[in-house]
Amino acid sequence: MTVQPTQGGAHAVAGGRLWAGGAATAVVAALIAVVGILLARGVFDVPVLAPEGEGTWGDADTGMYALWCAIAALLATGLMHLLVMSTPRPLLFFGWIMALATVAATLAPFVAEGSTSSKVATAAINLLVGIAIGTLVSGAARSAMRSRRTIPGGPQSRY
């Protein structure tokens, strides 16, 4: 497999490898959301994203929540790709952005209506999804990045 460096920052990135990792992260994020909701509703009897009478699977909100978690993972992958292409120390910037976004997502349920148990369960799911997205996309980027100095024929390999 030949790595086609993308022009831009200090790193070349194997875009296919990064986006494959991002797609896998999207699946993991959606599954964390589904498992978290099943655990909250089925084991702890906490009505997360649905009225109490909806049962363990709840309503269409469960699927939409999982979909939004997957979309968040793909957006994070796009952000990482942009950071790798344009910024020094892209993993550091990505870590800060993801940490702050995860804190915001974790605190968001507490400004909405609902029971305390529902808020805590939703916050815990959001926290786990944020941690998973941050670590998995960072790992995929680390695997996909190569310093321009190490790419044969790259701009700095001639010197």
Side-chain angles (χ1 to χ4, degrees), residues 108-123:
F110 295 102
V111 298
E113 298 285 326
S115 68
T116 302
S117 60
S118 180
K119 292 176 184 181
V120 169
T122 305

Side-chain angles (χ1 to χ4, degrees), residues 27-84:
V27 172
V28 170
L31 288 172
I32 289 171
V34 170
V35 169
I37 290 169
L38 288 175
L39 183 66
R41 289 183 187 158
V43 175
F44 297 109
D45 201 31
V46 175
V48 177
L49 299 177
E52 287 186 42
E54 293 292 330
T56 302
W57 282 102
D59 56 11
D61 286 343
T62 301
M64 287 304 296
Y65 185 68
L67 178 64
W68 279 113
C69 290
I71 290 170
L74 295 175
L75 288 172
T77 304
L79 173 65
M80 178 58 89
H81 200 158
L82 178 66
L83 291 171
V84 168

